[in-house]
Amino acid sequence: MVILGIETTCDETAAAVVTRADDDSGRILSNVVLSQVSEHADYGGVVPEIAARAHVEALDRIIAMAMAEANCSFGTLDGVAAAAGPGLIGGLIVGLTTAKAIALVHNKPLMAVNHLEAHALTARLTEGTPFPYCLFLASGGHTQILGVRGVGDYLRLGGTVDDAIGEAFDKTAKLLGLGYPGGPLVEKEALDGDAARFALPRPMSGRHDADFSLSGLKTALRLEAEKIAPLSNQDVADLCASFQQAVVDVVMDRLRSGLRMFRDRIGNPSALVCAGGVAANQAIRKVLHRIAFEAGTELVAPPPALCTDNGAMIAWAGAERLALGLTDTLDAVPRPRWPLDQVVRTVPGQRNH
Ligand code: KG4
Ligand code: ZN
């Protein structure tokens, strides 16, 4: 089957065409991503109103590019998928309404996909990873540990109670005047820094659950920075290194706990899968390899372009759902909040609630 996927939940306008064969294997025919980073850079974060307007302006063109690159016409598609949440409401309306229009005009099935489900299933597109596996999703908007048991069958093992990890990196970078997005800039500074110079907390460490809390760490960093201001270049590097080390330690502790919960509730995972922009961080990546090894499994990391937001993951999640007959009607609603454990395997033709 051939599926068009549309992604507009945050600050990427993206469309892609993906195929899924009867043996479950996937292939990406096109994957076009337009980043709005430069439009939000001055504000140190995503501005919802700017994002929504940029999606309206760009989406038709991005879809046309994805269709042309895949050498495909709307008539030859088997279905249209759009991310219907969670995300910023303006962008969700733009993407989902566009998908509905294409589905209606060309009489194709519509799949209103959960963005987190799409991240969760990407490893099956790129690596054919079998169920069940443990997913560590860490981006600017999300930090979650999930048991992925099947399509539409997710067990939330843990998540952040306040900031996402990427958000904490972004706020740290903003505080230190480094720019946006902050993750890669903090990582670069940390290379020249002393990770032991500042004693920052490791929030939630040692707890039996698999939850994260990042806002206290951010505050502790701000207090340390204020104590020694004005900051030299070395101070900035040391603060970045100390911050990153605290995050690495927290990830290690929380994921160990998450994998223990996975084994207790589900059994042995076929893999530890990482997704989201934060997984690009080399120090974090290293610790993920170590945790997977300790747990007797392997780390699966889809290529960076597919770990961050893109249309191919939405198209693939749509294909996985369509293969099971899980489609949505034209009254599917955009859902700014949509926890993954509320994604259900709906009866065909019924609303995906
Ligand atoms: O998945 P993503 O591209 O977009 C969404 O948030 O949906 O993730 C972007 C986030 C940003 O917060 C960015 O600072 C963070 O991922 N990030 C990193 C690194 N590269 C990107 N965080 C730490 N280290 C990195 N190298
Ligand atoms: Zn995402």
Side-chain angles (χ1 to χ4, degrees):
M1 61 175 74
V2 185
I3 306 291
L4 168 68
I6 297 171
E7 159 61 35
T8 53
T9 60
C10 189
D11 61 345
E12 266 98 21
T13 312
V17 179
V18 163
T19 64
R20 184 179 189 281
D22 290 340
D23 66 357
D24 290 4
S25 64
R27 203 153 70 85
I28 299 172
L29 302 186
S30 66
N31 190 22
V32 183
V33 180
L34 177 72
S35 170
Q36 302 174 3
V37 157
S38 60
E39 285 162 78
H40 301 286
D42 287 349
Y43 305 93
V46 178
V47 183
E49 180 65 24
I50 293 176
R53 286 171 191 273
H55 287 307
V56 174
E57 278 168 23
L59 186 57
D60 288 355
R61 181 166 48 91
I62 297 299
I63 291 173
M65 283 168 68
M67 296 296 287
E69 216 175 283
N71 205 6
C72 198
S73 67
F74 290 134
T76 60
L77 291 173
D78 293 297
V80 185
L88 299 171
I89 185 67
L92 296 179
I93 291 172
V94 175
L96 186 57
T97 307
T98 305
K100 284 180 183 176
I102 297 169
L104 178 64
V105 170
H106 298 278
N107 199 21
K108 303 292 178 188
L110 170 76
M111 281 74 69
V113 166
N114 180 297
H115 176 93
L116 301 175
E117 173 170 50
H119 275 302
L121 297 175
T122 302
R124 290 171 52 73
L125 164 65
T126 59
E127 329 287 325
T129 307
F131 299 122
Y133 52 87
C134 184
L135 178 79
F136 175 52
L137 171 61
S139 69
H142 308 284
T143 296
Q144 292 191 0
I145 301 174
L146 294 162
V148 181
R149 294 181 289 209
V151 176
D153 186 7
Y154 310 101
L155 181 64
R156 189 178 185 279
L157 298 168
T160 183
V161 298
D162 41 53
D163 293 349
I165 297 181
E167 189 180 357
F169 270 94
D170 292 336
K171 287 179 175 170
T172 295
K174 192 174 179 184
L175 175 82
L176 300 174
L178 295 176
Y180 174 83
L185 301 165
V186 171
E187 181 177 16
K188 189 159 168 283
E189 289 289 331
L191 289 175
D192 303 320
D194 173 6
R197 176 162 166 208
F198 299 99
L200 298 173
R202 269 63 173 160
M204 311 296 245
S205 283
R207 282 174 45 140
H208 281 294
D209 59 27
D211 286 335
F212 292 78
S213 169
L214 278 305
S215 72
L217 178 55
K218 179 192 66 194
T219 307
L221 181 102
R222 180 171 54 76
L223 294 175
E224 292 292 347
E226 281 171 4
K227 261 191 246 167
I228 57 165
L231 303 177
S232 69
N233 288 346
Q234 192 58 51
D235 292 335
V236 170
D238 292 346
L239 283 163
C240 286
S242 300
F243 169 80
Q244 184 172 281
Q245 188 57 50
V247 174
V248 164
D249 290 348
V250 165
V251 167
M252 192 153 64
D253 181 84
R254 306 291 63 216
L255 258 179
R256 275 195 184 127
S257 193
L259 278 163
R260 198 172 337 125
M261 289 166 73
F262 189 108
R263 274 194 303 276
D264 288 349
R265 296 185 192 182
I266 301 173
N268 285 327
S270 70
L272 171 63
V273 174
C274 63
V278 175
N281 184 292
Q282 289 308 312
I284 293 176
R285 184 66 75 88
K286 208 164 125 193
V287 94
L288 294 180
H289 273 291
R290 191 165 135 199
I291 296 163
F293 180 76
E294 273 176 19
T297 187
E298 58 162 356
L299 179 70
V300 168
L306 295 173
C307 273
T308 57
D309 291 351
N310 65 85
M313 69 178 193
I314 306 298
W316 176 254
E320 293 250 61
R321 294 188 75 81
L322 183 59
L324 295 172
L326 305 172
T327 59
D328 294 272
T329 57
L330 291 176
D331 59 1
V333 289
R335 303 177 67 179
R337 286 175 180 279
W338 190 3
L340 199 43
D341 48 12
Q342 284 177 20
V343 172
V344 290
R345 298 168 78 113
T346 44
V347 178
Q350 283 192 349
R351 240 197 284 178
N352 188 8
H353 277 200

